[in-house]
């Protein structure tokens, strides 16, 4: 009996945990911008500023590919807001491909 | 996937009325493609895409055929109607590139793969990994450069590269020779960490363009540049060793081409610190005011970099104030320095350019070590004219002339030691570059010293790039130095060891040979870099400091044969997981000098050094943790007095640990860290410390840290460039 109840508790815990992860994942979106940058310090500047934008969960900047990949929480920000954030630090960002486009905004 | 994909974007606004086609050329991933040529077939007009891949073509036709071509891509034809105002055209690659390595973070220290020489670059990111109050503390995470105390009292530090003293390294600031002579002993403290944009360490024979003085290598410091640095920045630093520091930097654009910037630094070590209770300060109380003003003019054909700097420093060390009749050390330094670097582009098809570098400095040192005194003044003037031309894609030629002037006015315990040296010279350097696969560089210079006569400096480099993963470098070259014993080693006056300098010391002369191989391989989709190197320095003539023959004196004499230093180093760096990098290095040093006719191991030199440095950054780089462990090998100590030995004959290996935590904000960062976490110190760094009047009182037997664990914290804040 004890072992069964233990197993049930563990399973319940796993289900709740995974649903939390799922609900978080549900709002996570990915976008890749094409941004013209020509140096390491541009990369640093973009990393420094965009990382502190609301809703940004993850990012990778590649000078070589001229791309910025951003993973964000769609409840807190959207692509337009991110483009605006780039504009504030004088970078023009063009969406090059959005990976998770199945979910509509709003 | 060889077909050509293109799609059109229709702008809703003024598309119908536009008299031109606007568009963007990208690769298949949507990345802008620069330099693609776009031909409008109907009108035979053309355009080239800019760095954003944009182009504009005038047209009045309804249907337009665009032919787009770019190197490395399949040529594409695209029908565009005039109403389509913004077109995006994707080009497919003509050549399949192998799968790229996933994006990895740039290590703060990297070896330049393009450079022909063994060139290591330390970026400002790396400098932020440790306290880096000044240049002397910038090499804590670096395996190649050791920084050691010159003596136990003055706080003077010197670099050791390839097993040899820092005097054999040519110091440059923005590629202008600096900190020679009187400025050398305390010079590493004259460049504040927050001023530096990057440091380049070049090991082995260097280019002949910057002179004949580099023997083991060059260390160049690039300061923040007004044209591309933050508008305003500050840095505040404090440590439990009683040190406060304030740095400020600003960059002001005046016109589009002209900008100016000011770098300022103030430091104060206000505590008489004596952690080992020997009655002597572990480090002197240093007060420094340092200000630098830069002007940058970047025209189309003419460029100017102008630097003006003033430094004032006071060091007070020795016995604690409460001791009766204390042994005191006071060193006052003042330095005035300028340089002007002019570059003219002749804008011809050979990409020829002319560079004119002028620099000058006036350095004053006023020192007192107990009863001994030293005052010195050095005036330096330097001009270097360089003409560079690219005869052909594969052939580059640099040639020019230089002139260096040094005037020393010195008094040692009141007696004068004046000297002047004027050295004009000419040089030429030729580079053969076969498609970046094979590069050969050969340079020679001839100089005439008013003291030592005519001498030649040949230097050569070779580089083979076998594949993207593997390359080899070899170098050989000569270097010379005019020894200025007292000026460069004034710290030897601390303590009662007598300083005996041979008359008519000759110019130091040495050959350096080096071999380097580096490989970059993909291990689990991340790049593993391994670099192996071997360097051998052989002296034809060296001014050897002999601490062995007489335990109460240092004899500085000419040694014509035998002195050499060899070092072998292997270094590997790898990003273990995203944001987590690890560098491991090991170096073995074998440095020998002829002392009284016998070839002996150089004292106070570590036989090996291992370094382990690791850094972790969170996903968004908001937090960073750094940890460094230095395992320093043991070595020989100068011979103690055989009748009455006051110290051991060797020292044992020891470990130094450093750690730092950094929290980044949008406009700055906050950091806290510890140096020498393991609290390791050299016991009894000063011999016969309680008795500064005795014959045995000696501060030169120093091999380890005097100061134990140090905790520090700092803040950086900046206002980014608009």
């Amino acid at each position: 009996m004890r072992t069964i109840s233990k197993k049930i508790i563990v399973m319940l815990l796993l289900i709740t945990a995974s649903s939390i992860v799922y609900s978080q994942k549900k709002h996570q979106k990915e976008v890749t911008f094409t941004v013209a940058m020509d140096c390491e310090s541009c990369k640093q500047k973009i990393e420094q500023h965009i990382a502190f934008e609301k809703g940004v969960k993850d990012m990778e900047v590649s000078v070589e590919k001229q791309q910025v990949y951003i993973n964000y929480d769609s409840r807190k920000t959207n692509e337009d807001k991110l483009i605006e954030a780039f504009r504030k630090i004088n970078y023009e960002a063009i969406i090059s491909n959005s990976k998770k486009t199945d979910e509509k905004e709003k | 996937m060889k077909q050509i994909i293109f799609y059109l974007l229709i702008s809703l606004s003024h598309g119908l009325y536009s008299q031109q086609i606007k568009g963007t050329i990208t690769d298949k991933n949507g990345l802008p493609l620069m330099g693609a040529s776009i031909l409008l077939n109907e009108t035979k007009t053309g355009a080239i895409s800019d760095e954003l891949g944009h182009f504009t073509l005038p047209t009045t036709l309804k249907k337009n055929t665009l032919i787009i071509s770019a190197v490395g891509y399949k040529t594409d034809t695209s029908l565009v109607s005039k109403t389509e105002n913004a077109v995006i055209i994707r080009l497919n690659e003509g050549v399949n590139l192998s799968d790229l390595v996933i994006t990895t973070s740039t290590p703060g220290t990297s070896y330049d793969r393009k450079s022909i020489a063994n060139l290591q670059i330390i970026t400002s990111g790396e400098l932020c990994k440790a306290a880096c109050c000044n240049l002397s503390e910038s090499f804590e995470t670096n395996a190649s450069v050791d920084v050691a105390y010159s003596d136990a009292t003055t706080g003077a530090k010197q670099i050791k590269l390839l097993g040899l003293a820092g005097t054999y390294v040519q110091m440059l600031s923005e590629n202008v020779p600096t900190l020679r002579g009187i400025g050398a002993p305390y010079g590493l403290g004259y460049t504040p960490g927050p001023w530096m944009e990057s440091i380049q360490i070049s090991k082995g024979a260097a280019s002949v363009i910057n002179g004949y003085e580099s023997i083991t290598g060059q260390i160049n410091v690039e300061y923040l540049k007004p044209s591309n640095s933050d508008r305003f920045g500050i840095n505040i630093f404090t440590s439990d060793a009683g040190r406060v520091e304030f740095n400020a930097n600003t960059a002001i654009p005046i016109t589009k081409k002209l900008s100016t910037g000011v770098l300022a630094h103030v430091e104060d070590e206000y505590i008489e610190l004596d952690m080992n209770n020997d009655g002597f300060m572990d480090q002197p109380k240093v007060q420094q005011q340092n200000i630098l003003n830069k002007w940058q003019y970047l025209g189309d054909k003419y460029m100017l970099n102008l630097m003006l700097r003033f430094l004032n420093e006071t060091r007070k060390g020795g016995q604690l104030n409460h001791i009766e009749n204390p042994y005191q050390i006071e060193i006052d330094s003042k330095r005035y320095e300028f340089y002007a670097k002019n570059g003219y582009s002749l804008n011809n098809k050979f990409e020829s350019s002319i560079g004119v570098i002028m620099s000058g400095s006036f350095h004053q040192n006023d020192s007192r070590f107990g009863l001994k005194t030293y005052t010195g003044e050095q005036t330096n003037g330097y001009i270097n004219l360089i003409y560079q031309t690219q005869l052909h894609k594969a052939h580059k030629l640099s040639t020019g002339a230089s002139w260096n002037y040094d005037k020393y006015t010195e008094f040692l315990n009141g007696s004068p030691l004046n000297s002047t040296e004027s050295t004009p010279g000419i040089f030429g350097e030729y580079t053969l570059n076969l498609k970046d696969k094979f590069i050969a560089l050969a340079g020679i210079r001839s100089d005439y010293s008013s003291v030592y006569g005519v001498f030649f400096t040949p230097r050569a480099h070779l580089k083979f790039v076998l594949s993207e993963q593997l390359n080899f470098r070899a170098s050989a070259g000569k270097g010379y130095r005019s020894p200025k014993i007292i000026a460069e080693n004034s710290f030897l006056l601390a303590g009662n060891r007598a300083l005996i300098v041979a008359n008519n010391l000759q110019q130091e002369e040495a050959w350096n040979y080096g071999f380097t191989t580096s490989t970059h391989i993909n291990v689990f989709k991340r790049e593993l870099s391994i670099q192996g190197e071997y360097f051998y320095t052989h002296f034809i003539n060296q001014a050897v400091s002999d601490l062995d023959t007489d335990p109460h004196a240092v004899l500085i004499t000419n040694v014509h044969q035998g002195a050499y230093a060899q070092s072998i180093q292997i270094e590997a760096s790898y990003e273990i997981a995203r944001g987590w990098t690890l560098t491991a290095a090991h170096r073995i040093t074998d440095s020998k000098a002829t002392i009284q006719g016998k070839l002996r191991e150089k004292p106070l030199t570590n036989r090996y050094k291992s370094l382990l440095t690791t850094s972790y950054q969170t996903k968004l780089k908001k937090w960073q943790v750094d940890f460094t462990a230095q395992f320093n090998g043991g070595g020989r100590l100068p011979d103690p007095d055989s009748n009455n030995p006051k110290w051991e004959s060797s020292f044992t290996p020891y470990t130094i640990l450093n750690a730092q935590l950094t929290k980044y904000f949008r406009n700055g960062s906050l950091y806290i860290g510890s140096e020498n976490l393991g609290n390791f110190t050299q016991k009894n760094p000063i011999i016969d410390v309680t008795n500064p009047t005795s014959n045995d009182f000696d501060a030169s037997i120093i091999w380890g840290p005097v100061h134990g664990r140090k905790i520090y914290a700092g803040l950086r804040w900046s206002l980014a460039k608009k």
Side-chain angles (χ1 to χ4, degrees):
Chain A
M1 275 303 283
R2 245 187 202 174
T3 48
I4 293 170
S5 59
K6 256 189 186 172
K7 273 181 185 169
I8 291 169
I9 290 168
V10 168
M11 273 177 73
L12 278 173
L13 276 172
L14 275 172
I15 291 165
T16 13
S18 60
S19 63
I20 289 168
V21 169
Y22 179 73
S23 67
Q24 274 183 349
K25 276 261 162 81
K26 213 172 70 179
H27 297 285
Q28 277 192 22
K29 285 188 160 191
E30 295 176 329
V31 61
T32 305
F33 293 106
T34 296
V35 183
M37 48 190 152
D38 50 12
C39 56
E40 274 304 306
S41 66
C42 308
K43 178 183 166 170
Q44 279 174 15
K45 191 174 171 185
I46 290 169
E47 283 178 342
Q48 233 175 45
H49 285 83
I50 303 299
F52 291 95
E53 280 300 316
K54 219 170 117 186
V56 173
K57 294 284 170 214
D58 193 2
M59 73 184 294
E60 269 181 44
V61 184
S62 164
V63 179
E64 191 190 352
K65 295 187 194 171
Q66 304 261 301
Q67 277 184 337
V68 179
Y69 157 84
I70 296 174
N71 183 319
Y72 63 94
D73 185 335
S74 60
R75 289 170 299 183
K76 291 184 182 159
T77 188
N78 58 39
E79 290 168 355
D80 291 342
K81 280 185 185 168
L82 291 172
I83 290 172
E84 190 49 42
F86 275 102
R87 207 163 280 156
K88 265 190 195 159
I89 51 166
N90 290 313
Y91 285 94
E92 205 58 50
I94 307 160
I95 298 172
S96 74
N97 67 327
S98 274
K99 277 179 194 162
K100 273 191 183 173
T101 42
D102 47 335
E103 289 175 60
K104 286 261 152 74
E105 294 276 12
K106 287 163 202 170
Chain B
M1 300 305 286
K2 282 186 178 173
Q3 91 270 33
I4 293 146
I5 318 158
F6 71 91
Y7 67 90
L8 312 167
L9 256 182
I10 300 165
S11 158
L12 297 170
S13 55
H14 48 86
L16 278 167
Y17 307 99
S18 100
Q19 294 294 305
Q20 57 188 21
I21 302 170
K22 275 188 180 172
T24 308
I25 310 292
T26 72
D27 66 6
K28 67 171 183 196
N29 298 319
L31 281 174
L33 211 60
M34 186 179 109
S37 75
I38 304 105
L39 180 74
L40 180 53
N41 204 26
E42 281 79 6
T43 62
K44 301 285 176 209
T45 51
I48 303 278
S49 62
D50 64 12
E51 67 267 21
L52 294 168
H54 296 329
F55 69 92
T56 322
L57 272 172
T59 182
T60 50
L61 303 168
K62 272 188 182 167
K63 291 277 179 204
N64 303 280
T65 316
L66 298 183
I67 301 164
I68 307 105
S69 57
V71 179
Y73 293 83
K74 296 243 176 206
T75 301
D76 187 4
T77 316
S78 167
L79 274 175
V80 182
S81 85
K82 194 185 64 165
T83 52
E84 294 150 3
N85 152 280
V87 273
I88 294 182
I89 298 162
R90 296 192 178 200
L91 289 186
N92 264 11
E93 281 153 10
V95 199
N96 265 342
L97 292 174
S98 56
D99 280 350
L100 286 166
V101 186
I102 55 170
T103 325
T104 50
S105 62
T106 327
T109 308
S110 60
Y111 287 94
D112 191 333
R113 293 179 203 180
K114 286 182 188 150
S115 159
I116 183 171
N118 177 338
L119 184 69
Q120 196 180 20
I121 300 162
I122 304 177
T123 62
S124 58
E126 181 72 14
L127 295 172
C128 291
K129 284 183 177 180
C132 287
C133 297
N134 56 49
L135 188 58
S136 73
E137 284 149 336
S138 306
F139 304 104
E140 285 177 357
T141 57
N142 189 291
S144 307
V145 181
D146 294 335
V147 177
Y149 281 113
S150 308
D151 74 290
T153 57
T154 64
K157 284 182 181 172
Q158 57 176 322
I159 277 175
K160 278 186 183 169
L161 187 69
L162 309 180
L164 288 165
T167 40
Y168 299 111
V169 182
Q170 187 179 30
M171 299 301 292
L172 305 165
S173 71
E174 310 205 311
N175 282 311
V176 180
T178 185
L179 298 175
R180 303 163 57 261
I182 299 180
Y186 311 102
L188 292 179
Y190 297 164
T191 306
W195 287 16
M196 293 186 270
E197 187 187 71
S198 65
I199 303 171
Q200 290 92 35
I201 304 162
S202 149
K203 280 175 270 183
S207 159
V208 293
I209 294 174
N210 290 321
Y212 51 85
E213 281 183 343
S214 101
I215 291 175
T216 51
Q218 284 179 337
I219 293 178
N220 179 45
V221 173
E222 290 289 322
Y223 295 122
L224 296 174
K225 304 199 169 21
S227 61
N228 64 6
S229 61
D230 293 330
R231 263 184 296 164
F232 185 68
I234 53 168
N235 165 255
I236 301 165
F237 173 94
T238 181
S239 81
D240 68 343
R243 178 186 181 116
V244 281
E245 244 190 57
F246 179 77
N247 293 285
N249 56 278
T250 173
I252 308 156
I254 292 170
T255 66
K256 245 187 165 177
K257 291 173 177 171
L258 182 70
S259 52
T260 185
V262 177
L263 303 173
H265 166 91
V266 188
E267 70 174 80
D268 190 2
E269 274 161 295
Y270 53 90
I271 296 179
E272 282 193 335
L273 206 69
D274 180 22
M275 300 234 299
N276 55 9
N277 292 316
D278 64 357
F280 266 75
M281 285 182 233
D282 297 340
Q283 55 192 44
K285 295 194 290 174
V286 180
Q287 285 184 314
Q288 191 189 97
Q289 299 89 39
N290 199 346
I291 187 158
L292 185 150
N293 176 214
K294 272 184 84 168
W295 291 84
Q296 222 175 359
Y297 177 83
L298 301 172
D300 302 323
K301 283 190 171 184
Y302 172 67
M303 275 166 49
L304 171 72
N305 267 296
L306 179 72
M307 188 280 290
L308 305 159
R309 171 266 261 264
F310 170 69
L311 173 129
N312 182 34
E313 188 188 78
T314 310
R315 294 173 171 262
K316 285 181 181 161
Q319 270 182 317
L320 303 177
N321 246 330
H322 68 77
I323 289 170
E324 210 180 310
N325 199 10
Y327 177 88
Q328 284 178 326
I329 293 172
E330 185 169 339
I331 302 151
D332 295 319
S333 306
K334 276 191 175 60
R335 183 175 180 88
Y336 306 81
E337 192 176 5
F338 89 97
Y339 68 68
K341 299 203 295 181
N342 302 275
Y344 308 89
S345 168
L346 300 178
N347 252 7
N348 58 17
K349 65 175 178 178
F350 301 116
E351 294 176 34
S352 308
S353 62
I354 295 172
V356 182
I357 298 165
M358 282 173 277
S359 76
S361 65
F362 178 69
H363 196 107
Q364 250 182 331
N365 177 320
D366 199 342
S367 312
R368 187 163 69 82
F369 306 85
L371 297 171
K372 299 183 200 171
T373 59
Y374 168 76
T375 58
E377 282 178 4
Q378 181 187 2
T379 310
N380 173 261
Y382 173 73
I383 296 180
N384 198 6
L385 295 159
I386 309 158
Y387 173 74
Q388 273 184 346
T389 186
Q390 190 96 33
L391 300 168
H392 177 266
K393 253 187 183 171
H395 310 281
K396 194 177 141 187
L397 191 71
S398 306
T399 172
S402 69
W403 178 64
N404 186 64
Y405 174 82
D406 279 307
K407 183 175 182 235
Y408 292 86
T409 312
E410 297 172 291
F411 293 92
L412 179 60
N413 298 322
S415 44
L417 302 157
N418 298 339
S419 67
T420 315
E421 187 181 4
S422 166
T423 317
I426 50 167
F427 60 89
E429 191 173 84
Y430 165 74
T431 315
L432 173 72
N433 185 336
L434 299 177
K435 294 181 175 167
D436 287 338
K437 297 284 178 217
F438 172 81
I439 310 173
L441 181 150
I444 186 154
R445 59 179 301 138
S446 170
D447 294 87
Y448 168 78
S449 157
S450 60
V451 180
Y452 303 106
V454 178
F455 56 99
F456 293 92
T457 315
R459 288 176 189 175
H461 288 259
L462 286 176
K463 182 187 174 189
F464 301 92
V465 180
L466 292 186
S467 70
E468 267 193 33
Q469 282 81 36
L470 185 66
N471 64 56
F472 290 102
R473 291 184 177 95
S475 67
K478 227 177 178 186
Y480 299 83
R481 285 190 73 257
S482 306
K484 283 279 166 274
I485 299 302
I486 313 291
E488 290 168 348
N489 304 283
S490 48
F491 50 82
L492 286 174
L493 297 167
N496 288 339
R497 196 179 264 269
L499 180 57
I500 302 162
V501 185
N503 281 331
N504 301 322
L505 275 184
Q506 290 163 13
Q507 195 179 29
E508 292 185 280
E509 182 178 354
W511 279 98
N512 178 287
Y513 310 93
F515 302 94
T516 308
T517 171
S518 57
T519 165
H520 309 278
I521 35 179
N522 284 348
V523 180
F524 304 115
K525 284 203 165 180
R526 293 179 194 275
E527 196 179 71
L528 170 70
S529 299
I530 303 171
Q531 164 133 342
E533 58 186 46
Y534 171 77
F535 283 94
Y536 180 81
T537 314
H538 167 80
F539 282 90
I540 294 167
N541 181 52
Q542 187 183 19
V544 173
S545 302
D546 169 5
L547 292 154
D548 290 296
T549 307
D550 182 346
H552 297 110
V554 49
L555 313 170
I556 295 170
T557 50
N558 282 312
V559 172
H560 293 293
Q561 280 304 327
Y564 74 86
Q566 55 183 341
S567 89
I568 186 160
Q569 179 174 317
I570 182 153
E571 184 171 341
S573 57
Y574 185 61
E575 190 179 17
I576 298 168
R578 190 176 156 203
W580 184 20
T581 55
L582 181 76
T583 301
H586 187 72
R587 187 186 67 222
I588 301 167
T589 307
D590 169 29
S591 184
K592 291 206 165 61
T594 312
I595 290 158
Q596 298 293 313
K598 267 201 296 191
L599 199 60
R600 295 191 65 185
E601 180 187 357
K602 213 166 193 190
L604 306 167
T605 303
N606 302 94
R607 287 176 195 137
Y608 67 85
K609 180 182 177 183
S610 296
L611 182 91
L612 198 68
T613 167
T614 182
S615 177
Y616 177 73
Q617 262 182 342
T618 57
K619 262 202 257 178
L620 289 171
K621 306 190 178 175
K622 290 184 181 177
W623 290 90
Q624 182 174 335
V625 189
D626 290 288
F627 178 80
T628 303
Q630 296 171 359
F631 307 96
N632 300 285
R636 186 173 80 84
L637 290 180
D639 290 344
D641 194 334
S642 50
N643 300 322
N644 177 24
K646 292 273 182 183
W647 63 87
E648 305 290 316
S649 60
S650 64
F651 63 97
T652 50
Y654 60 96
T655 304
I656 302 288
L657 307 172
N658 299 319
Q660 185 178 301
L661 176 71
T662 314
K663 167 79 179 99
Y664 287 94
F665 302 100
R666 193 188 276 259
N667 290 314
S669 59
L670 203 60
Y671 57 98
I672 178 158
S674 174
E675 278 173 27
N676 197 357
L677 206 54
N679 204 14
F680 175 82
T681 53
Q682 178 186 343
K683 302 280 171 288
N684 311 318
I686 303 171
I687 310 299
D688 209 1
V689 65
T690 48
N691 213 350
T693 50
S694 95
N695 226 7
D696 291 325
F697 173 65
D698 189 351
S700 62
I701 311 295
I702 179 86
W703 48 269
V706 183
H707 191 82
R709 185 185 304 122
K710 197 190 277 182
I711 309 285
Y712 62 86
L715 171 81
R716 299 184 193 98
W717 179 83
S718 68
L719 205 60
K721 188 183 166 227
K722 270 210 168 168

